[in-house]
């Protein structure tokens, strides 16, 4: 083959873009609904400022003040009558004391687990896997109920202002849940900006109402409502507080009021959503949230007991709306501002429902990463959010809304038990950690966390007893079933990992040579080694391995495993960036580039780990066919799926290697798009001599060039050959390979980094290459 101009070879050129798959209708529809996909390298830009984080993560507990007081009165009035209003303030005081203790405990959680915390992580690190799953189940149930009850309460706020729409309550709640799901599928940052305003509007409007109310209370013009209005809850007879029945009713009312504290854990679950320094911003937001929540609960309870605001049987008008209407009066300003208050209440309740879309996917992502939930819950979607978690949350909440008819009173029966279980585990777990580690001020932290855990445990016990017949029985029944199911799923994953583990006998593979073969690598296990063995039987001219990088940490793990596995010492592995996570496109692009020469044929081998039955489809996504189908449409390219039966290993049957499945269809190429991709454009300052940079598409052979671009592929040499490293960088005009001799890695270099290089331009296989350039890395 001609190697240079001296023997008639064509002029070497920079790497150029290639054809991409035509987007299917489903993907075009997704782009239409959700917008363009976000590049995975922009994940850090999806972090939230404190002012937005307060709107996203604090709206749930803040919004609970809209109905916490009312739920206390719902439990008291039918049994104590007017006396309920005298009991309201002491009970509110107990709720505020618990709020203070739990807030201080979660402040310690955030300080200790500075990226992601919450009850699940605390339980996993301090109590083990079983307790962690109890925490996970508690939070999962709580977030599902939170979405349902906040949406229903928000619609109730609308009905308080416009009673004529009461007949459309259920469709409105369903519509709100679907709207929130859609907003969050468009991205965390967009949802944060959208729902930050309602939090501030609600706080401003309620503090304005409280200010006017204090003024009217001091001058004696604050009205008192008639507790015998039609539609209100029936007034009970005043009775003593020391009877067993009275104590039971008081505890049940307190359990209702505990709903005001739900959502406190959302900030500790979502520390990683904050801008850096994450834990400091999260702690400040937690304190602001707790202060606002306490003030709002105290204010609503105080004025409700002052004006005798009665709950209604059909939940409309709400207690908070009665407080606002009584304080604001019937004047023109009062009527207008009352509508503002109702709108703010509605929006904050919907924003509170939105909080679950930030916290729930993170919790299930933790559990899925640990192998207790299906792994597809760890995948980031179109907008770099955990879209599968969002869909699971929305679907579960819709089912709950249908079952309960969107009734707030019915939903409260399921509420708060889960979150107080999480409070208990978190507090006791942190207390254990403080006692074991004994760091600075550990005694104070131990007392705070231990007290928070014990108080929450008492509340959980009260909930389980007094709410048992109203719906707590369902939570108590379902929770252990889900915990056992999570543990069973984890055992299944462990069996599969053990079956795929490469042992010493399976490492070595005999070397044979013929045409080009590439093995696509997702993990270094027995299936991958078996695929390499099959590749050697094809007598290839060369064998390469390729891993498309979706996660940098996983890529680093694969690199280390590959380098340490003697069975693949002479098989070099290439790491190619896949920023939009569309594996079929990345594979097609690689295959076209590998077969540019007309005399080159390529076989791509795709290990497929075969899992049988419904459980196998549930626990694993099937991507081999999706990659093989478009790959095999290319000329001179064959995609071969190599099945590997995991169930046979688990069951103890003799392992067999199945005949490969070959997919072949005709490819319809489309207009190249890689060179126009926005992700190649860097918004960062490149270097102090940026004016000397030459576009890659304009560099010339045998001349020095100074180029900059994004790293799209890293190719270290095989372990049994001379150490070399090839790095492919691209800008908007094309790509070039940087070749480093005498090394297999560069510290700090990873796909997606910005690299500046300067050196003499040479040629290798007809493509321009810069040999041993001086370089600078910008992450």
């Amino acid at each position: 083959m001609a190697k240079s101009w001296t023997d008639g070879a064509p002029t070497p050129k920079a790497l150029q873009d290639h054809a991409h798959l035509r987007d299917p209708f489903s993907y075009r529809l997704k782009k239409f609904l959700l917008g363009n996909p976000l590049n995975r390298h922009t994940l850090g830009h999806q972090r939230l400022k404190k002012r937005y984080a307060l709107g996203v993560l604090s709206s749930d507990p803040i919004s609970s003040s809209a109905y916490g007081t009312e739920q206390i009165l719902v439990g008291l009035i039918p049994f104590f009558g007017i006396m309920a209003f005298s009991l309201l303030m002491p009970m509110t005081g107990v709720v505020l004391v618990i709020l203070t203790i739990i807030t201080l405990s979660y402040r310690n959680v955030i300080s200790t687990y500075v990226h992601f915390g919450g009850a699940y992580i605390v339980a996993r690190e301090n109590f083990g896997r079983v307790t962690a799953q109890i925490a996970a189940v508690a939070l999962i149930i709580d977030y599902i109920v939170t979405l349902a009850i906040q949406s229903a309460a928000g619609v109730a706020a609308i009905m308080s202002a416009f009673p004529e729409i009461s007949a459309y309550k259920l469709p409105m709640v369903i519509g709100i849940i679907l709207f929130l799901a859609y907003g969050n599928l468009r991205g965390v940052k967009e949802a944060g900006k959208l729902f930050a305003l309602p939090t501030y509007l609600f706080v401003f409007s309620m503090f304005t109402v409280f200010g006017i109310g204090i003024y009217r209370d001091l001058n004696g013009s604050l009205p008192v409502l008639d507790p015998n209005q039609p539609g209100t809850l029936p007034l009970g007879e005043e009775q003593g507080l020391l009877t067993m029945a009275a104590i039971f009713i008081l505890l049940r009312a307190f359990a209702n009021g505990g709903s005001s504290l739900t959502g406190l854990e959302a900030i500790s679950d979502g520390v990683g959503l904050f801008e850096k320094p994450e834990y400091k911003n999260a702690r400040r937001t937690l304190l602001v949230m707790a202060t606002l929540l306490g003030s709002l609960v105290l204010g609503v309870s105080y004025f409700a007991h002052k004006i005798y605001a009665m709950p209604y049987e059909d939940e409309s008008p709400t207690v908070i709306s009665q407080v606002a209407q009584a304080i604001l009066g019937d004047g023109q300003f009062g009527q207008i501002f009352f509508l503002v208050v109702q709108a703010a209440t509605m929006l904050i309740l919907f924003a509170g429902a939105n909080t679950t879309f930030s916290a729930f996917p993170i919790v299930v992502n933790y559990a899925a990463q640990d192998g207790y939930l299906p792994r597809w819950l760890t995948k980031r979607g179109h907008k770099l959010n955990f879209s599968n978690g969002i869909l699971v949350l929305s679907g579960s909440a819709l089912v709950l809304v249908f079952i309960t008819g969107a009734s707030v009173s019915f939903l409260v029966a399921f509420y708060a038990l889960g979150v107080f279980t999480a409070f208990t585990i978190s507090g006791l777990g942190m207390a254990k950690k403080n006692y074991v580690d004994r760091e600075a001020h550990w005694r104070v932290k131990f007392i705070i966390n231990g007290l928070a855990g014990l108080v929450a445990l008492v509340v959980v016990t009260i909930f389980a007893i007094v709410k048992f017949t109203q719906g707590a029985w369902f939570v108590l029944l379902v929770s252990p079933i889900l915990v056992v199911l999570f543990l069973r799923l984890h055992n299944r994953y462990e069996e599969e990992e053990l079956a795929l583990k490469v042992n010493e006998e399976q490492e070595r593979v005999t070397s044979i040579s013929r045409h080009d073969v590439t093995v696509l690598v997702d993990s270094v296990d027995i299936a991958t080694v078996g695929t390499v063995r099959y590749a050697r039987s094809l007598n290839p001219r060369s064998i390469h391995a390729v891993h498309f990088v979706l996660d940098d940490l996983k890529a680093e793990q694969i690199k280390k495993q590959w380098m340490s596995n003697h069975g693949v010492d002479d098989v070099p592995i290439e790491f190619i960036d896949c920023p939009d996570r569309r594996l079929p496109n990345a594979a097609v692009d690689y295959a076209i580039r590998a077969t540019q020469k007309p005399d080159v044929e390529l076989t791509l081998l795709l290990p497929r780990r075969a899992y049988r039955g419904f459980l196998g489809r549930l626990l694993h996504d099937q991507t081999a066919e999706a990659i093989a189908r478009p790959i095999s449409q290319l000329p001179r390219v064959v995609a071969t799926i190599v099945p590997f039966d995991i169930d046979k290993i688990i069951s103890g049957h003799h392992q067999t290697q199945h005949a490969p499945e070959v997919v072949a269809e005709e490819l319809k190429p489309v207009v190249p798009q890689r060179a126009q991709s926005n992700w190649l454009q860097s918004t960062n300052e490149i270097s102090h001599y940026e004016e000397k940079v030459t576009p890659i598409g304009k560099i010339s052979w045998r001349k020095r060039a100074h180029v900059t671009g994004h790293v799209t592929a890293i190719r270290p040499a095989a372990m049994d050959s001379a150490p070399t490293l090839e790095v492919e960088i691209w800008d908007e005009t094309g790509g070039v390979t940087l070749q480093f001799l005498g090394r297999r890695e560069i510290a700090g270099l990873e796909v997606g980094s910005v690299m500046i290089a300067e050196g003499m331009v040479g040629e290798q296989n007809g493509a321009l290459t810069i040999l041993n350039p001086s370089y600078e890395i910008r992450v």
Side-chain angles (χ1 to χ4, degrees):
M1 181 183 296
K3 292 293 184 183
S4 69
W5 285 355
T6 58
D7 54 8
T11 304
K13 296 181 180 179
L15 300 174
Q16 296 299 318
D17 198 11
H18 304 288
H20 284 252
L21 295 175
R22 189 182 303 277
D23 290 339
F25 172 76
S26 59
Y27 188 78
R28 295 198 301 271
L29 178 63
K30 181 189 291 187
K31 287 180 63 176
F32 174 77
L33 294 175
L34 304 181
N36 291 324
L38 294 178
N39 186 283
R40 73 181 187 89
H41 299 296
T42 65
L43 182 60
H45 300 297
Q46 300 305 303
R47 303 294 184 91
L48 299 173
K49 298 181 183 297
K50 292 192 294 292
R51 60 179 180 271
Y52 293 136
L54 185 66
V56 174
L57 300 174
S58 302
S59 51
D60 178 11
I62 289 176
S63 65
S64 299
S65 63
Y67 55 83
T69 297
E70 180 169 350
Q71 291 304 314
I72 294 176
L73 291 174
V74 167
L76 293 177
I77 284 176
F79 299 95
F80 293 102
I82 294 298
M83 185 181 176
F85 292 101
S86 300
L87 299 172
L88 177 60
M89 290 308 295
M91 196 161 289
T92 300
V94 174
V95 171
L96 295 181
V97 170
I98 296 175
L99 167 64
T100 303
I101 295 172
I102 293 177
T103 299
L104 293 175
S105 177
Y106 269 103
R107 188 174 182 273
N108 290 333
V109 172
I110 293 172
S111 300
T112 303
Y113 299 97
V114 296
H115 294 294
F116 286 104
Y120 180 80
I121 302 298
V122 174
R124 187 186 68 184
E125 299 298 323
N126 297 285
F127 290 132
R129 67 175 196 165
V130 176
T131 306
Q133 301 324 302
I134 295 174
V137 169
L139 290 172
I140 286 171
I141 292 176
D142 178 71
Y143 286 134
I144 292 172
V145 177
T146 297
L147 176 57
I149 197 172
Q150 298 278 46
S151 301
V155 171
I158 302 175
M159 292 163 49
S160 296
F162 306 100
E164 59 272 12
I165 65 174
S166 299
Y168 304 100
K169 179 180 181 180
L170 183 59
M172 291 174 66
V173 174
I174 294 171
I176 291 299
I177 293 175
L178 294 177
F179 172 76
L180 294 176
Y182 172 71
N184 281 273
L185 287 172
R186 289 190 62 90
V188 172
K189 193 170 184 178
E190 288 78 358
K193 293 180 178 179
L194 180 65
F195 288 100
L197 178 61
T199 301
Y200 298 115
L201 179 61
F202 177 73
V203 171
F204 167 76
S205 62
M206 289 309 301
F207 280 5
T208 301
V209 169
F210 295 160
I212 297 173
I214 292 172
Y215 173 78
R216 295 191 66 181
D217 188 25
L218 292 176
N219 66 18
S221 62
L222 189 66
V224 177
L225 304 179
D226 181 6
N228 295 307
Q229 289 288 335
T232 59
L233 291 178
L235 282 170
E237 297 294 332
E238 295 187 12
Q239 55 181 292
L241 300 178
L242 300 180
T243 65
M244 290 299 297
I247 293 174
F248 182 83
I249 297 304
L250 288 172
L251 291 175
R252 188 162 67 183
F254 167 73
N256 284 354
S259 60
S260 298
L261 304 184
T262 57
L264 283 176
E265 79 292 341
I267 288 180
S268 66
D269 285 337
V271 176
L273 297 176
F274 285 81
E275 287 188 337
K276 295 181 179 180
E278 296 95 335
Y279 77 98
K280 290 184 178 179
N281 290 328
R283 283 194 309 179
R284 292 167 185 162
T285 305
L286 176 68
L287 293 178
V288 172
M289 177 198 70
T291 303
L292 292 175
L293 173 60
S295 303
L296 291 167
V297 170
L298 180 62
V300 174
S301 294
Y302 176 77
F303 287 108
H305 108 278
K306 274 287 186 178
I307 68 171
Y308 288 178
M310 290 285 294
Y312 279 70
E313 291 184 329
D314 61 357
E315 302 175 353
S316 178
T318 60
V319 166
I320 193 173
S321 70
Q322 295 176 62
V323 168
Q325 193 167 33
I327 291 175
L328 295 172
D330 297 327
Q332 185 174 2
F333 169 78
Q335 292 178 353
I336 294 175
F337 201 76
F338 171 72
L339 294 178
V340 173
V341 171
Q342 288 305 104
T345 304
M346 172 197 70
L347 292 175
I348 189 63
L349 286 164
F350 293 156
N354 181 71
T355 300
T356 62
F357 287 100
S358 298
F360 178 92
I362 293 175
V363 172
V364 297
N365 170 57
Y366 291 151
Q369 283 183 343
D370 292 341
Y372 295 97
L373 284 174
R375 293 254 165 86
W376 44 262
L377 288 170
T378 65
K379 291 189 174 182
R380 294 189 180 272
H382 198 71
K383 290 290 187 176
L384 294 178
N385 48 23
F386 298 109
S387 53
N388 289 329
I390 292 173
L391 295 175
V392 170
L393 171 63
S394 306
S396 303
L398 287 173
V399 171
L400 191 59
V401 165
F402 275 113
I403 293 174
T404 61
S407 169
V408 175
S409 297
F410 278 117
L411 289 167
V412 165
F414 300 98
Y415 208 27
L417 182 61
V419 74
F420 272 95
T421 300
F423 290 164
T424 302
I425 295 173
S426 178
L428 297 179
M430 287 301 299
K432 178 183 177 182
K433 182 175 180 60
N434 297 145
Y435 183 79
V436 172
D437 294 348
R438 303 200 176 197
E439 298 175 345
H441 310 294
W442 71 271
R443 289 183 176 87
V444 175
K445 295 178 181 179
F446 174 80
I447 292 173
I448 292 174
N449 292 317
L451 183 60
L454 292 175
V455 169
L457 179 60
V458 171
V459 175
V460 168
T461 305
I462 293 173
F463 265 81
I465 296 173
V466 303
K467 289 283 189 179
F468 185 82
T469 58
Q470 295 182 330
W473 66 268
F474 180 77
V475 177
L476 295 173
L477 175 65
V478 169
S479 296
I481 295 175
L482 290 177
V483 170
V484 172
L485 178 61
F486 287 8
L487 295 174
R488 290 288 300 274
L489 290 178
H490 182 71
N491 291 338
R492 172 69 182 188
Y493 275 127
E494 284 187 330
E495 290 177 349
E496 293 172 358
E497 289 175 3
L498 183 61
L500 291 169
K501 184 177 181 180
V502 180
N503 57 44
E504 189 173 341
E505 297 176 356
Q506 297 163 329
E507 284 187 352
R508 296 304 304 170
V509 187
T510 304
S511 185
I512 311 173
S513 300
R514 206 180 66 183
H515 72 278
D516 293 348
V517 174
T518 296
V519 178
L520 300 188
V521 177
D522 182 59
S523 60
V524 183
D525 55 27
I526 192 173
T528 302
V529 172
T531 304
V532 172
R533 181 182 295 112
Y534 174 74
R536 298 188 189 285
S537 71
L538 301 177
N539 296 321
R541 180 183 61 184
S542 64
I543 299 178
H544 291 84
V546 168
H547 173 71
F548 295 109
V549 180
L550 306 181
D551 180 273
D552 295 319
L553 180 60
K554 182 177 180 180
E556 186 65 23
Q557 292 173 345
I558 289 176
K559 179 181 178 181
K560 291 180 180 178
Q561 293 172 2
W562 192 270
M563 297 299 184
S564 63
N565 191 323
H566 299 300
V568 292
D569 272 350
D570 55 348
V571 179
I573 185 168
E574 179 176 359
F575 294 88
I576 298 179
D577 194 17
C578 186
D580 60 357
R581 302 165 302 285
R582 300 175 67 190
L583 291 176
N585 272 17
V588 167
D589 189 62
Y590 171 84
I592 292 175
R593 291 170 53 195
T595 56
Q596 282 185 316
K597 301 292 183 181
D599 57 345
V600 174
E601 293 186 357
L602 175 68
T603 296
L604 283 180
L605 299 182
L606 295 87
R608 184 180 68 180
R609 299 150 186 86
Y611 306 94
R612 299 178 186 173
F614 172 78
L615 184 60
R617 292 190 295 272
L618 176 67
L619 297 181
H620 304 278
D621 55 353
Q622 305 294 323
T623 57
E625 289 82 359
I627 296 175
R629 189 172 297 110
I631 285 292
S632 297
Q633 297 171 15
L634 296 170
R636 295 176 287 107
V637 179
V638 176
T640 303
I641 297 174
V642 183
F644 196 86
D645 196 333
I646 305 304
D647 290 272
K648 283 194 174 183
I649 299 180
I650 295 175
S651 62
H653 293 298
H654 179 68
Q655 174 188 344
T656 58
Q657 186 75 26
H658 296 278
E661 301 172 6
V662 180
V663 185
E665 296 180 20
E666 182 182 358
L667 176 72
K668 297 180 180 179
V670 296
V671 179
Q673 298 177 356
R674 179 170 182 169
Q676 304 171 3
S677 179
N678 290 333
W679 73 273
L680 292 171
Q681 301 176 7
S682 174
T683 58
N684 299 326
E685 180 183 356
I686 298 300
S687 72
H688 62 280
Y689 52 103
E690 183 178 359
E691 67 275 5
K692 299 180 181 178
V693 170
T694 303
I696 293 177
K698 295 183 179 180
I699 62 177
S700 300
W701 186 43
R702 291 181 172 175
K703 292 185 178 181
R704 294 191 66 82
H706 179 203
V707 297
T708 181
H710 281 76
V711 176
T712 63
I714 301 174
R715 295 186 289 270
M719 292 302 293
D720 66 346
S721 62
T724 60
L725 178 69
E726 293 183 353
V727 179
E728 190 175 304
I729 65 172
W730 283 72
D731 65 9
E732 297 85 350
T733 63
V736 66
T737 298
L738 312 178
Q739 189 175 68
F740 299 88
L741 303 181
R743 56 169 58 180
R744 286 191 175 88
E745 61 181 358
I746 295 176
L749 181 66
E750 58 185 29
V751 289
S753 301
V754 175
M755 194 169 192
I756 306 105
E758 184 175 15
M760 182 65 70
V761 180
E763 173 266 342
Q764 185 177 36
N765 294 328
L768 295 178
T769 302
I770 302 179
L771 182 64
N772 281 336
S774 59
Y775 65 90
E776 178 185 347
I777 300 173
R778 299 183 66 88
V779 180

